[in-house]
Amino acid sequence: MRKLLLFCSMLVMLAAAAFAQTRQITGTVADKDGRPLPGVSIIVLETQKATSTDIKGKFSIQASVGQTIRFSYVGVKPVTVKITAATNNLAVAFKEGNTDLNEVVVTGYTSERKKDLTGAVSVVNVADIQDIPEGNAMKELQGRVPGVTVSTDGSPAGTVTVRIRGIGTLGDNDPLYVIDGMPTERGLQEINQDDIASIQVLKDASAASIYGSRAANGVIIITTKKAKAGTSRIDFSGNTSVEFYASQLSVLNTEQHGEAYWRASVNDGTNPNNNQTYQYQWNGDYNNPVLNKIILPEYLDAAQTLKPANTNWFDEISQPSVVQSYSMSVSNGTEKGNSLFSMSYYDNNGIIKQSQDQKITVRFNSDYNLLDGKLKVGETLSATYMRDVLLPAADITNYALLDEPAEPVYTVTGGWGGPGPGMSDSQNPVRLIDENAQNKNYFGRVFGNAYAELQILPGFHFKTSIGADYALNYSRQLQYSYVSGFVSDPTNQVSTSQSYDGNTVWQNTLTYDKTFGKSKLNLLAGEENINYINQTFAGSGQGLAIENINYAYLSAATTNILNSGSGYGYALLSFFGKANYDYDGKYLLSATLRRDGSSRFGSNNQFGTFPAASAGWRISEESFIKDNAPAISDLKLRYGWGQTGNQEIANNGTYTLYSAIYGTNLTGEFDTGTAYNISGASSGTLPSGFALIQTGNNNLKWETSTQSNFGLDYGFFNNKITGSFDYFIKNTTGILISPAYLAVLGEGGNTYVNGASMRNTGYEAVVNYANQLSHDWGINVSANISSYRNIVTQLPSNVLSSYPGNGTTETILGRSINSIFGYVADGLFTTQAEVNNSAAQPGKGLGRIRYADLNGDGVINNLDQQYIGNFDPKFSYGLNVNVKYKNFNLSFFFQGVQGNDVYNTYKEITDFTSIDPGANWGTRVLQAWTPQNPTSTIPALTLVDNNDEARGSSYYVENGSYCKLRNLQLSYNLNDALKKYKIRNAKVYIQGSNLLIIKSKSYTDPDPENSTNEFPIPVITTIGFDLSL
Amino acid sequence: MKTKILIAALLFVLCASCKKALEEQPQGVISSADLNTPDNVDAMVIAAYSALGNDYWAAPYSSMWAYGSIRSGDAYKGGDGPGDVPDFHAYETFSLNRVDIGTTDVTWYRLYIGIGRANDALGRIENMSLTNYPDKMAREGEVRFLRAHFYFLLKILYKRVPWIDETIPKASYDTVSNVSYSSDALWTKIANDFRFAAANLPTSQPQVGRPTKYAAQSYLAKTLLYQAYTQDNNNNVTGIDQTKLAEVNTLCDSVINSGVYSLEPDFADNFLTADENGTESVFAIQYSINDGTPDGRVDNGHSLDYPMNAAFGCCGFHVPSHNLINAFQTDSTGLPLFNTFNNNDVIQNNSYLTSTFDPRIDHTAAIPGHPYKYEPAQIYQNSWARDPSIYGYLLSMKETVAADDPSFKKFPPFMSSSKNWAIIRYADVLLMKAEALIEMNQETAALPLINMVRQRAANSTARLKQADGTPISNYKISTYQPGVNCVWTNDYARQALRFERRLEFAMEGYRFFDLVRWGVAASYLNTYFAAEKSRVGQLQSAQFTKNRDEYMPIPLNQINLSKNLYKQNTGW
């Protein structure tokens, strides 16, 4: 009976609807900040007609006067509007903030709401990083996006290495960047950080597969800012920082160095006075030596130009340095179109003296609506200019470490100091700084695209986009003639080089959006054309009459004038399609298919196909949750599977090629030249031949990664607590390698093959807590943790020895590619009995390292090696805390890695006087083992490494775990103070980067993040402001 | 309709762009097929020559000093302690040598690059007709000479190596084992290449860099001399093949009787740029400078061997041993002290003016207080040494030039010169013949040959003067005069020959291979280590293992790459 009643009433309602004055109600829905909200559920309560807003927040629905429309959206209180006769073009705005679930996420040629995502996509909170002056937005992602590893040095140019979900291949592991729809392999150091509106990281294959052949290492999608409709504003920001070199190694001064040398010589039983710098007064008793006095000569050299000094080379090369960053943008948005113009200036003086990176960027983004909004034409255009001082920074820091303290910076007459007799043949790093400061690299890049989007039929759009990304690079360097101790070069030289590279990208897409009933369908089909070109030339000449950068052009050179040039290119052609299906906001399905062709592959396999599919179930939309568990505001299960590719090999891998190699640079490498002085004339032009440079493989094809991703997104207590968890399995097969080959093949035996496989598994978890505790107090905590395991699953057996291991019984198969192989250092020999009773080990003795006889054959040889470490961390984590009190905001961010090994090569000089005997050493050598200091773990000092302690061993493997306070910021919002002025937003702040490091005790040097000789990572303190009018 | 047009347009775009869009021609390179013209085949021959000197300091093979000199008791590695190029330290001590040392693998690879270039050129030459390519036979002779040279170096280093020639398709290279040929058969393969070269090369060449018939005969003689000392599988010398010795003798006669060659009047002429390609040069690597390449095609195999003063500045490698310096001492009659030379430590006792010396000491070694490279204004100083607390103060000098020499070239931190480096000089032909005669019990016939070499040494003191005109050291040298200063028995002659080779070719890179050829390496070197250990620091763990250290190990990397097709040398 009740059913019948219900049925009748429904009939009545239908009839009413049919006879009422129904009309089309249109409008827009926006969030509290006025941003259009896509995907808002709209229902006419009386008729149960439903729809949702499109990507621009627009909707259209049939309703009649007197009926009520309800607008609802996850995490927000619904809004209801009664239709009146006057209702026209409704503009609905939610009063509360909506959660990031409604953020629009760009997912490859199109965009989706975050809550509809079925792949593993991380969205970076750009606000968290906008004021950090590192010159490269990617630097700031370290620890903020789980599964993304960013490694960097402290150089002003801000280059970084980004790895998504670990090392996935043996070749190029760089992710693909997509900036405003344009794929590029350049990183973000050339982009103004303030221009970035959003950064999204597509980690799994189901998300990235739409980018096909280049997506195997993940995709980072950047969208730049656009003006907002109906607003015009001006933004300024600026900050000034001071950087400090805080991670210096502790090295010996002149007196200490002399003492260490004496100790080493006495340990060896040789006469310590048999050296060219120090003379010693000592008791002459080798069994119980006592040093009374160290005497330095008046001059180090016979020519009497170098007085013994006590140089602290680190102090000589470094400085507290200033970084300045300013940016400004003007934006204006109207119904007809939007435009945004921005400029920025960045000037980073590095902590190595004279190092500098200057950057100016300009951007103009605009779009126009034509034909009643059916045609949209727009463009994004950016130009970057960078100027860098070309300092050999790695050499400078290396020499600062290696040069003896007794070596003076200058001679007595003001010339360059340098090594004296008996010292290492290393350069005076102060000279390297001084004589390279005038050498600069100039870089310019234009990057942008123009597009037109036409609505052909309702829901049916065609978009074409033509983009260009071209860079020009020019450098000119003057190399001075010099004398610096016994190292000298009488030749001066000017060298210039220029390169031009870039690509055009032409994309065409068709999209179709359709809602029927509770179902929503989005279809995408497209095509993409990329043509890359690179051309370079360079020249050099010697014999400049004067050594001045203003004179040093190629035309001024008089001798040894050389030139060179090269070029290459590649092309990609791709077709792709995507379908998204959403039923009632509960069941989400997505499928993509991409077919890619590359000029890099053989005609047999030029095209590859990359499919992917994913599904999501928004459990929280089910009534059994909604009704029974109100604490659960969002819960979504995701699963994705897909394939992505990698084509990062040389452009001509399919060809067998010969090259004329007239001459090569001889310093430190084998000559591969093909010219020969057959006539014996000793100079003049030589006849030249050709050398095989590679063997082609016409069967080359894409390297393929197949990835499964299990994900869970959640939100509790009205989304006060949100987060996600992802688990992935990624198998990469047919990895493109150019394996080591049998030497009898000679040169050019190198050939690319699809030869290896590896597997990465891992998880990523994020949890956020956001709560407005009271009117004055607010808190936001975000924590993440991630981990991955890498396993090499297949390698051709004959190339196993190219990777850590012995190639036969101990191989990298089944292990991480980041494994360390070597001898096991089993402590020191502390008694003669231990020496006598140990395995045969050439050079063994008291105080020497004992290597473990792993195979027990009584001899220490190359068979006594095993895996002694793994560079992969057990897990990585980040913790960001943001506390707000009234107008104050305090945030701090910790980042760390745990359980990784590092191979500390610094130990060769911090712990040994024998491995680099002509260098300076670390202060640790002063605590080395002696019979009088029997508990030391640092081997006894010696001048001769007869025990081969430089060999790769566990002595150098240390725990590289660390936790760093990456950023600490205190800001004050001036909005209230400046209320009477027309100011939208004003903020001042102070902050510090890398202020604190907690590291493992077993790591013996200052910074485990920098265990090889790279540009040191500075401590940075900053003061700055943001202002919007 | 509009839609259909658009879709059609789009499809058209897609199809039109398909194939053409992916065409990318390689830039700045050339295909194999384009190289088969006469000019380009000649160029491929030049590329094979180019490999002669394409080494550098880390694994030199243009000069064999790192394998033949510092392993022979004549020299130490030098440089900044044992950790500076530690692979060479391992060679010097033998006990630290391993199967996985990088230099051993790289040197093997680099020599096969030379062989690869030769085989590539040979394949092309053989496909040319005599009409199109009139120089065909001579060019084939040249390239087979070059290939045999690279195999010769491989053979003396590694004993058993895979023989790859132009008849083997590249796809089959991985089926060729290093033990496919016996050690002796491998010598025969090398000899056959030289034999072909000797038969087809002209007696003189318009371009001095190309080998002549006589160069090929000399190298064939050298090969046969090595082959004549037969070895068992454990590297023990088991006998001397008289037939081969006879052929060595005949070949040397042909070279000697050609009248093309003679000993330079002054030993120094062999080690100065001004007289390169002189009368004593049988085959030499031709280097060049100011030739349009960035640093010149210079002698980079010796670029570690310069002193540490301001005029040079790197790197102090290749240091004459105390033992070698002592060996230059002579007795009261001017003959070497075969058995007692090492009793007086010349360096320790600074007895250059009190003992008597063969003049070749000051052509060979840079010694504190003595002029460097014959320039009295450039006195070699203690401060020019790199790491005297370990290796002492001396340096090798034959391979270097003075800083003001026009052939000198700096490419910081290294330096070298365009001075040629001799692979075979005429003195070697004379002493090879003498060696063959002695081993054929014709020591009397050998005597004048050895004395020619000694007499030239005796005549080579004009440049060995201090600024004031006094001799640098106290020279006293005479020829062997049986009945006057010696008794010329067969044994004595053998001793004299072997000592003469040491003094004449000291620091030139082949001494260790002489010791192995004669079968005396183990006893000789262990005796040397016993005394030398007390003089320098780096030899504390040195030990020569008989039946192993006569040869380098086959590089472990190559055994792995061959999937164990290659077999390791005995003892390793």
Side-chain angles (χ1 to χ4, degrees), chain A residues 425 460 486 488-489 527 562 567 571 658 662 666 671-673 675-678 682-684 689 741 743 747 798 801, chain B residues 3 14 21 30 43 50 54 109-110 117 120 124 209 276 286-287 289 291-292 295 297 308 310 313-314 410 558 561:
Chain A
D425 60 333
F460 196 45
F486 63 71
S488 68
D489 187 358
E527 176 255 6
L562 303 169
Y658 286 77
Y662 187 72
L666 296 185
D671 195 335
T672 54
Y676 189 67
N677 174 27
I678 196 77
S682 294
S683 63
Y741 54 92
E747 67 198 330
N798 55 341
S801 49
Chain B
T3 320
L14 298 184
I30 192 166
S50 183
N54 269 2
Y109 171 53
R110 296 301 302 190
R117 286 190 180 185
D120 193 315
R124 294 174 200 281
E276 62 186 18
Q286 307 287 322
Y287 293 110
I289 192 172
D291 51 13
D295 300 317
R297 305 267 309 153
M308 304 299 287
C314 204
K410 273 199 166 189
Q558 296 304 324
L561 287 168

Side-chain angles (χ1 to χ4, degrees), chain B residues 272-273 306 312 372-375 378 400-408 417:
Chain B
L272 289 169
T273 315
Y306 283 84
F312 299 109
Y372 187 74
K373 285 308 286 191
Y374 316 112
E375 291 192 359
Q378 296 290 326
T400 65
V401 299
D404 57 2
D405 193 279
S407 69
F408 182 63
S417 79

Side-chain angles (χ1 to χ4, degrees), chain B residues 439-457:
Chain B
E439 298 305 335
M440 293 191 294
N441 292 314
Q442 301 173 35
E443 62 276 1
T444 315
L447 178 65
L449 296 165
I450 296 171
N451 277 344
M452 276 171 76
V453 172
R454 283 189 76 73
Q455 186 58 51
R456 192 269 301 268

